[in-house]
Amino acid sequence: MTIIVTGGAGFIGSNFIFHMLNKYPDYRIICLDCLTYAGSLSTLEPVMDNPNFRFVKESITDRAAVEKLFEEEHPDMVVNFAAESHVDRSIENPQVFLDTNIIGTSVLMDACRKYGIKRYHQVSTDEVYGDLPLDRPDMFFTETTPIHTSSPYSSSKAGADLLVLAYHRTYGLPVTISRCSNNYGPYHFPEKLIPLMIINALHDKPLPVYGEGLNVRDWLYVEDHCKAIDLVIHNGRVGEVYNIGGHNEMKNIDIVKLICKELGKPESLITYVTDRKGHDMRYAIDPTKIHNELGWLPETMFTDGIKKTIKWYLDNEAWWEPIVSGEYQNYYEKMYANR
Ligand code: NAD
Ligand code: TYD
């Protein structure tokens, strides 16, 4: 089995590659990643010498490069993690989100059509469903919830999902889509809520909570997401969408307070800043379908997962220090200085 994993130098893709090489020692895994600000070869260091692993630095938007790779490797599957993934960046500059998330997806699927594939899997997000009101805790996203996006990021992911389903219906491409809730865990880029708060707290810097911090996200430990995708690509039904989430809803402010507590830092570091434009209030996944059809259940509870994650950041400063001391400083200044 040969699998091309795109975006594998990023947060979830790298965790997926570790999971696959560990669980299927005879699979060949090729990581296709152009190494944007969010991708790093240092993340893939643990597998670089594995003879069943190959890294290729190209963009999924580069048709010639993608076709060359298909001709060289004859993949059985493509799992597409490659994306621009940060909502705040999409508000500043939507264009690259459309290029990578939509055009890149079509380039990959065109190659799948041209050379043949057993499965094309699109890694999508619960954000395509828009948001839920805070006062309706009985409401959840199911696979039939209408697409109703809020940000350029979620719109670009929704555009890609629609294209994936269209390639299935029009050309018979054997596709699956998974839509997961917010992930957390090792190798999470420090611009996102949990690693940003851990690293700021470690430096005794202000912890910038958007609005009142009452927005709710449904957090899933990244390994549980990887295991779910593994099940979908092997046993999921072609043409189907699978929601992934662990019924673990938390308010942002409660997460930030928990991080302060775990690190022994004062809550006085918390600073309320101007809210994100169009900020989604609540995400909550109903994972009944993947549970009933594929037997998936989350294994890591948030109380354990957040401890493991904080410990990972404490133990792996060598991974995140070069990130936060580089170009990231300009990003941080631009996004947070006068907020
Ligand atoms: P990330 O930003 O950490 O990593 C993205 C990776 O894609 C990076 O390695 C980057 O270099 C690569 N990339 C970007 N543009 C590329 C291009 N044109 N060609 C090749 N590679 C490119 O993202 P992540 O958090 O790991 O998310 C991975 C996927 O999972 C995304 O599709 C995202 O929409 C989806 N997702 C993320 C979450 C989450 O909580 N992080 C939740 C649900 C779904
Ligand atoms: P984020 O990690 O960007 O994920 P997403 O927007 O895709 O859910 O943000 C998670 C939540 O945390 C979201 O409600 C925005 C909020 N947030 C802050 O309050 N402060 C921050 O500095 C960041 C990055 C996010």
Side-chain angles (χ1 to χ4, degrees), residues 69-99:
L69 186 61
F70 271 69
E71 279 169 16
E72 286 168 7
E73 295 288 353
H74 310 289
D76 299 292
M77 292 190 189
V78 171
V79 182
N80 182 24
F81 290 90
E84 288 293 333
S85 68
H86 192 33
V87 173
D88 292 326
R89 288 187 192 253
S90 81
I91 294 167
E92 292 301 304
N93 176 20
Q95 185 64 49
V96 66
F97 284 73
L98 310 186
D99 292 342

Side-chain angles (χ1 to χ4, degrees), residues 85-88 125 127 153 182 188 190-197 207-211 213 215-217 219 252 256 273 275-276 279-281 283 331-332 336 339:
S85 68
H86 192 33
V87 173
D88 292 326
T125 164
E127 300 193 27
Y153 163 68
N182 285 60
H188 204 178
E191 68 191 349
K192 304 284 169 62
L193 178 77
I194 289 181
L196 184 145
M197 296 299 169
L207 306 177
V209 171
Y210 299 168
N215 307 66
V216 170
R217 298 292 183 263
W219 294 93
N252 293 342
V256 179
V273 301
D275 209 351
R276 173 185 280 170
H279 199 172
D280 281 338
M281 284 315 299
Y283 302 142
Y331 165 80
Y332 198 87
Y336 293 92
R339 194 153 183 160

